[in-house]
Coordinates of all heavy atoms in Angstrom, one line a residue:
N119 N 102.4 -12.1 -245.1 CA 102.0 -13.5 -244.7 C 103.0 -14.2 -243.8 O 102.7 -15.1 -243.1 CB 101.7 -14.3 -245.9 CG 100.5 -13.7 -246.7 OD1 99.5 -13.3 -246.2 ND2 100.7 -13.6 -248.0
L120 N 104.3 -13.9 -244.0 CA 105.4 -14.6 -243.2 C 106.4 -13.6 -242.7 O 107.6 -13.8 -242.9 CB 106.1 -15.6 -244.2 CG 105.2 -16.6 -245.0 CD1 106.1 -17.3 -246.0 CD2 104.6 -17.6 -244.0
P121 N 105.9 -12.6 -241.9 CA 106.8 -11.6 -241.5 C 108.0 -12.0 -240.7 O 109.1 -11.3 -240.8 CB 105.9 -10.6 -240.7 CG 104.8 -11.4 -240.3 CD 104.6 -12.5 -241.3
S122 N 107.9 -13.0 -239.8 CA 109.0 -13.3 -239.0 C 109.6 -14.7 -239.3 O 110.3 -15.3 -238.5 CB 108.6 -13.3 -237.5 OG 107.5 -14.2 -237.3
S123 N 109.3 -15.1 -240.5 CA 109.8 -16.5 -241.0 C 111.2 -16.5 -241.4 O 111.7 -15.5 -242.0 CB 108.9 -16.9 -242.1 OG 109.4 -18.0 -242.7
S124 N 111.9 -17.6 -241.2 CA 113.3 -17.7 -241.7 C 113.3 -17.7 -243.2 O 114.3 -17.4 -243.8 CB 113.9 -19.0 -241.1 OG 113.2 -20.2 -241.5
A125 N 112.2 -18.1 -243.8 CA 112.1 -18.1 -245.3 C 112.1 -16.7 -245.8 O 112.7 -16.3 -246.8 CB 110.8 -18.8 -245.8
T126 N 111.5 -15.8 -245.1 CA 111.5 -14.3 -245.4 C 112.8 -13.8 -245.3 O 113.3 -13.1 -246.2 CB 110.4 -13.6 -244.6 OG1 109.1 -14.1 -244.8 CG2 110.4 -12.1 -244.9
V127 N 113.5 -14.0 -244.2 CA 114.8 -13.5 -243.9 C 115.8 -14.1 -245.0 O 116.6 -13.3 -245.5 CB 115.3 -14.0 -242.5 CG1 116.8 -13.6 -242.3 CG2 114.4 -13.3 -241.4
S128 N 115.6 -15.4 -245.3 CA 116.5 -15.9 -246.4 C 116.3 -15.2 -247.7 O 117.3 -14.9 -248.4 CB 116.1 -17.4 -246.6 OG 116.4 -18.1 -245.4
W129 N 115.0 -15.0 -248.1 CA 114.8 -14.3 -249.4 C 115.4 -12.9 -249.3 O 116.0 -12.4 -250.3 CB 113.4 -14.2 -249.8 CG 113.3 -13.4 -251.1 CD1 112.8 -12.2 -251.2 CD2 113.8 -13.8 -252.4 NE1 112.9 -11.7 -252.5 CE2 113.6 -12.7 -253.2 CE3 114.5 -14.9 -252.9 CZ2 114.0 -12.7 -254.5 CZ3 114.9 -14.8 -254.2 CH2 114.7 -13.8 -255.0
E130 N 115.2 -12.1 -248.2 CA 115.7 -10.8 -248.1 C 117.2 -10.8 -248.3 O 117.8 -9.9 -249.0 CB 115.3 -10.2 -246.8 CG 113.9 -9.8 -246.7 CD 113.4 -9.4 -245.3 OE1 114.2 -9.5 -244.3 OE2 112.3 -9.0 -245.2
A131 N 117.9 -11.7 -247.8 CA 119.4 -11.8 -247.9 C 119.8 -12.2 -249.4 O 120.6 -11.6 -250.0 CB 120.0 -12.8 -246.9
V132 N 119.1 -13.3 -249.8 CA 119.4 -13.8 -251.2 C 119.1 -12.8 -252.3 O 119.7 -12.8 -253.3 CB 118.6 -15.1 -251.4 CG1 118.7 -15.6 -252.8 CG2 119.2 -16.2 -250.4
S133 N 118.1 -12.0 -252.1 CA 117.8 -11.0 -253.1 C 118.9 -10.1 -253.5 O 118.9 -9.5 -254.6 CB 116.5 -10.2 -252.7 OG 116.8 -9.4 -251.6
Y134 N 119.9 -10.0 -252.6 CA 121.1 -9.1 -252.9 C 122.2 -9.9 -253.6 O 123.2 -9.4 -254.0 CB 121.6 -8.5 -251.6 CG 120.7 -7.4 -251.2 CD1 119.7 -7.6 -250.2 CD2 120.9 -6.1 -251.6 CE1 118.9 -6.6 -249.8 CE2 120.1 -5.0 -251.2 CZ 119.1 -5.3 -250.3 OH 118.3 -4.3 -249.8
A135 N 122.1 -11.2 -253.7 CA 123.1 -12.1 -254.2 C 123.2 -11.9 -255.7 O 122.4 -11.3 -256.4 CB 122.9 -13.5 -253.9
V136 N 124.3 -12.5 -256.3 CA 124.4 -12.5 -257.7 C 123.2 -13.2 -258.3 O 122.8 -14.3 -257.8 CB 125.7 -13.3 -258.1 CG1 125.8 -13.5 -259.6 CG2 127.0 -12.6 -257.5
P137 N 122.6 -12.6 -259.3 CA 121.3 -13.2 -259.8 C 121.3 -14.7 -260.1 O 120.4 -15.4 -259.7 CB 121.0 -12.3 -261.0 CG 121.7 -11.0 -260.7 CD 122.9 -11.4 -260.0
E138 N 122.3 -15.1 -260.7 CA 122.4 -16.5 -261.1 C 122.5 -17.5 -259.9 O 122.3 -18.7 -260.1 CB 123.5 -16.8 -262.1 CG 123.4 -16.1 -263.4 CD 123.7 -14.6 -263.3 OE1 124.5 -14.2 -262.5 OE2 123.2 -13.8 -264.1
D139 N 122.9 -17.0 -258.8 CA 123.1 -17.8 -257.6 C 122.0 -17.8 -256.6 O 121.9 -18.6 -255.7 CB 124.4 -17.4 -256.8 CG 125.7 -17.6 -257.7 OD1 125.6 -18.4 -258.6 OD2 126.7 -16.9 -257.4
R140 N 121.0 -16.9 -256.8 CA 119.9 -16.7 -255.8 C 119.1 -18.0 -255.6 O 118.9 -18.3 -254.4 CB 119.0 -15.6 -256.3 CG 119.6 -14.3 -256.3 CD 118.6 -13.2 -256.8 NE 119.3 -11.9 -256.8 CZ 119.2 -11.0 -257.7 NH1 118.3 -11.1 -258.7 NH2 119.9 -9.9 -257.6
Y141 N 118.7 -18.7 -256.6 CA 117.9 -19.9 -256.3 C 118.7 -20.9 -255.6 O 118.2 -21.5 -254.6 CB 117.4 -20.5 -257.7 CG 116.7 -21.8 -257.4 CD1 115.4 -21.8 -256.9 CD2 117.3 -23.0 -257.8 CE1 114.7 -23.0 -256.6 CE2 116.6 -24.2 -257.6 CZ 115.4 -24.2 -257.0 OH 114.7 -25.3 -256.8
E142 N 119.9 -21.2 -256.0 CA 120.7 -22.3 -255.3 C 121.0 -21.9 -253.9 O 121.0 -22.8 -253.0 CB 122.0 -22.6 -256.1 CG 121.8 -23.4 -257.3 CD 121.1 -24.7 -257.1 OE1 121.5 -25.4 -256.1 OE2 120.3 -25.1 -257.9
I143 N 121.3 -20.7 -253.6 CA 121.5 -20.2 -252.2 C 120.2 -20.5 -251.4 O 120.3 -21.0 -250.3 CB 122.0 -18.8 -252.1 CG1 123.4 -18.6 -252.8 CG2 122.0 -18.3 -250.7 CD1 123.8 -17.2 -253.0
F144 N 119.1 -20.0 -251.9 CA 117.8 -20.1 -251.2 C 117.5 -21.6 -251.0 O 117.1 -22.1 -249.9 CB 116.7 -19.4 -251.9 CG 115.4 -19.4 -251.1 CD1 115.2 -18.3 -250.3 CD2 114.4 -20.4 -251.2 CE1 114.0 -18.2 -249.5 CE2 113.3 -20.3 -250.5 CZ 113.1 -19.2 -249.7
K145 N 117.7 -22.4 -252.0 CA 117.4 -23.8 -252.0 C 118.2 -24.5 -250.9 O 117.7 -25.4 -250.1 CB 117.6 -24.5 -253.4 CG 117.4 -26.0 -253.5 CD 117.7 -26.4 -254.9 CE 117.3 -27.8 -255.2 NZ 117.9 -28.8 -254.4
T146 N 119.5 -24.2 -250.9 CA 120.4 -24.8 -249.9 C 119.9 -24.4 -248.4 O 119.9 -25.3 -247.6 CB 121.8 -24.3 -250.1 OG1 122.2 -24.7 -251.4 CG2 122.8 -24.9 -249.0
G147 N 119.5 -23.2 -248.2 CA 119.0 -22.8 -246.9 C 117.7 -23.5 -246.6 O 117.5 -23.9 -245.4
A148 N 116.8 -23.6 -247.6 CA 115.5 -24.3 -247.4 C 115.8 -25.8 -247.0 O 115.1 -26.3 -246.0 CB 114.7 -24.2 -248.6
E149 N 116.7 -26.4 -247.7 CA 116.9 -27.8 -247.4 C 117.6 -28.0 -246.0 O 117.3 -29.0 -245.3 CB 117.8 -28.4 -248.5 CG 117.0 -28.6 -249.8 CD 117.9 -29.1 -251.0 OE1 119.1 -29.0 -250.9 OE2 117.2 -29.5 -252.0
A150 N 118.4 -27.1 -245.6 CA 119.1 -27.1 -244.3 C 118.0 -27.0 -243.2 O 118.0 -27.7 -242.2 CB 120.2 -26.1 -244.2
E151 N 117.1 -26.0 -243.4 CA 116.0 -25.8 -242.4 C 115.0 -26.9 -242.3 O 114.6 -27.3 -241.3 CB 115.3 -24.5 -242.8 CG 114.2 -24.1 -241.9 CD 114.5 -23.3 -240.7 OE1 115.7 -22.8 -240.6 OE2 113.7 -23.2 -239.8

């Protein structure tokens, strides 16, 4: 549904982060965008 979206790219990167930090990292990116 969102193949070229910055939200998709963000999740792909965040999915490799430390589990406890994933939401905050994604949230920060979403708010910046």
Side-chain angles (χ1 to χ4, degrees):
N119 301 314
L120 306 170
S122 59
S123 168
S124 59
T126 299
V127 173
S128 295
W129 175 252
E130 288 171 351
V132 168
S133 67
Y134 287 93
V136 174
E138 296 77 28
D139 296 338
R140 290 178 184 146
Y141 174 73
E142 283 302 320
I143 295 169
F144 189 88
K145 181 180 186 303
T146 300
E149 290 175 344
E151 177 86 14

